[in-house]
């Protein structure tokens, strides 16, 4: 990698490698890759201080295409490797690239513990509701009844709700965006990168070979206005082709109302990304879009909070121990205080 020590001069192309991108033509990963490269350039990031770590899956080829440091690691363990890296090199800008199979199946345990520990890393969860790399088995986010090569009679598993899981693990930044809305995707990536702590961004990513159109209800121009709800801090929850619908809270239950004679914007739920209770309600707006009574699916920042990062807490503890006990001696520690004689 070429040396580049001057900040704020790199372009998106400077973050792209000379490797041939080996995703299927039309894959949503291309959009995400392009936006990440653009965001790093716009934020004035250095390649030497940026690291991408992935697990296993289509998305996990991402580090090959980033002209930064990176590691294509092992299945479900990108979170564990990134945690160790961040603990020992807290100055690095660390990104985790993972898919729904990688992070929510074999890597589920590691993901929730990283979130509760709150390492200062960015997690991009590419959710296409399928195992694409292994050619089309149902994944932890596939809908019940999904017909796939491994579920020819329909998946029996109840689908994971990734953002509800993240909020349950006390994540400090939780957001959702989509590959087919580049501007929204870029804005969310910038906010995630600026967050101090673990940021989880779920990205609806179309797998046009094995699960084409899984999210078209939320991305197609004909249905998007009625089924996608975009969250804006301090703004009422309004949607609809003519911005003629809103969400109000009836007690603890969100409900759709028509704006006009009976209701106005003043009656609606005002989005507050610092409110954990409302964030949980938003995460449960997760209806099957094929149901005619389905609520619109929220996109944007659900929740953000300030909390001490794990690596900072660890360093404070180390400093306190040194202050009280002095500098340690590794040889002395390994030798221990007890000896045994084996006869």
């Amino acid at each position: 990698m070429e040396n580049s020590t001057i900040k704020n001069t790199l372009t998106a192309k400077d973050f792209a490698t000379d490797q041939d991108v080996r995703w299927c033509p039309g894959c949503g990963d291309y959009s995400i890759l392009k936006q990440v490269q653009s965001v790093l350039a716009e934020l004035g990031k250095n390649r030497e201080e940026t690291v991408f770590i992935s697990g296993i899956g289509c998305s996990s080829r991402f580090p090959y295409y980033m002209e930064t440091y990176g590691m294509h690691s092992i299945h479900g363990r990108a979170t564990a490797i990134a945690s160790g890296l961040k603990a020992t090199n807290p100055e690095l800008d660390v990104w985790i690239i993972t898919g729904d199979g990688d992070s929510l199946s074999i890597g589920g345990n590691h993901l929730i513990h990283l979130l509760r520990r709150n390492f200062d890393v960015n997690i991009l969860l590419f959710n296409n509701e399928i195992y694409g790399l292994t050619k089309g088995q149902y994944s932890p986010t596939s809908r019940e009844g999904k017909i796939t090569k491994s579920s020819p009679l329909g998946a029996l598993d109840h689908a994971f709700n990734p953002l509800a899981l993240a909020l349950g693990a006390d994540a400090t930044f939780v957001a959702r965006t989509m590959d087919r809305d580049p501007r929204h995707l870029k804005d969310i990536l910038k906010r995630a990168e600026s967050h101090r702590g673990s940021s989880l961004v779920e990205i609806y990513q179309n797998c046009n070979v094995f699960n084409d159109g899984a999210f078209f209800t939320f991305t197609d121009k004909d249905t998007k206005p009625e089924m996608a709800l975009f969250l804006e801090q301090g703004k009422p929850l309004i949607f609809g082709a003519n911005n003629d619908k809103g969400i109000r809270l009836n007690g603890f239950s969100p409900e759709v109302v028509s704006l006009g004679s009976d209701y106005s914007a003043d009656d609606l739920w005002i989005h507050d990304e610092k409110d954990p209770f409302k964030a949980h309600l938003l995460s449960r707006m997760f209806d099957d879009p094929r149901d005619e009574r389905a609520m619109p699916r929220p996109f944007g920042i659900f929740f953000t909070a300030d909390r001490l990062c794990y690596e900072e807490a660890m360093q404070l503890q180390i400093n306190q121990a040194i202050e009280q006990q002095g500098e340690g001696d590794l040889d002395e520690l390994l030798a221990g205080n007890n000896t045994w004689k084996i006869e």
Side-chain angles (χ1 to χ4, degrees), residues 123-286:
I123 308 163
L124 305 188
L125 199 172
F126 293 29
N127 182 7
N128 56 20
E129 297 185 353
I130 203 76
Y131 281 101
L133 184 67
T134 48
K135 297 181 171 52
Q137 298 83 15
Y138 76 97
S139 85
T141 57
S142 297
R143 298 168 192 166
E144 289 181 55
K146 178 71 175 177
I147 303 292
T148 71
K149 292 181 178 178
S150 58
S151 56
L153 300 180
L156 298 176
D157 294 7
H158 187 65
F160 252 130
N161 179 334
L163 298 195
L165 177 75
L167 289 166
D170 275 343
T172 57
F173 183 99
V174 176
R176 178 188 290 137
T177 183
M178 59 183 81
D179 58 359
R180 294 194 168 203
D181 192 334
R183 179 177 296 179
H184 189 264
L185 172 58
K186 180 184 285 189
D187 289 344
I188 294 296
L189 293 177
K190 285 182 177 178
R191 282 290 308 273
E193 202 283 333
S194 67
H195 175 69
R196 186 74 175 162
S198 298
S199 61
L200 177 83
V201 180
E202 180 188 24
I203 306 172
Y204 283 173
Q205 175 257 323
N206 190 47
C207 174
N208 58 323
V209 175
F210 297 107
N211 201 19
D212 193 27
F215 305 112
F216 279 4
T217 301
F218 311 116
T219 61
D220 189 83
K221 64 179 182 180
D222 293 330
T223 53
K224 181 178 179 179
E226 298 293 333
M227 292 305 298
L229 172 66
F230 288 92
L231 307 173
E232 294 184 71
Q233 175 65 9
K235 300 286 184 64
L237 302 189
I238 295 177
F239 67 103
N242 299 308
N243 289 326
D244 55 351
K245 298 178 182 176
I247 307 290
R248 71 182 288 267
L249 281 175
N250 183 0
F252 297 124
S253 300
E255 64 177 16
V256 175
V257 296
S258 297
L259 300 179
S261 56
D262 293 331
Y263 296 100
S264 71
D266 294 336
D267 299 308
L268 302 180
W269 172 347
I270 304 299
H271 182 51
D272 180 1
E273 59 191 33
K274 295 287 186 182
D275 188 327
F277 175 74
K278 287 183 176 178
H280 280 280
L281 290 181
L282 287 169
S283 75
R284 304 314 304 187
M285 291 170 60
F286 197 64

Side-chain angles (χ1 to χ4, degrees), residues 68-88:
T68 64
Y69 288 104
M71 177 185 290
H72 188 177
S73 68
I74 54 179
H75 209 187
R77 302 298 188 268
T79 41
I81 293 168
S83 298
L85 178 62
K86 193 66 183 180
T88 52

Side-chain angles (χ1 to χ4, degrees), residues 80-100:
I81 293 168
S83 298
L85 178 62
K86 193 66 183 180
T88 52
N89 296 277
E91 74 283 1
L92 294 176
D93 187 20
V94 178
W95 297 69
I96 296 170
I97 305 298
T98 185
D100 44 301

Side-chain angles (χ1 to χ4, degrees), residues 4-12 14-15 40-41 43-46:
S4 65
T5 57
I6 302 174
K7 290 187 176 182
N8 301 320
T9 59
L10 300 178
T11 68
D14 294 316
F15 286 96
L40 292 179
L43 294 177
K45 292 294 180 179
N46 275 336

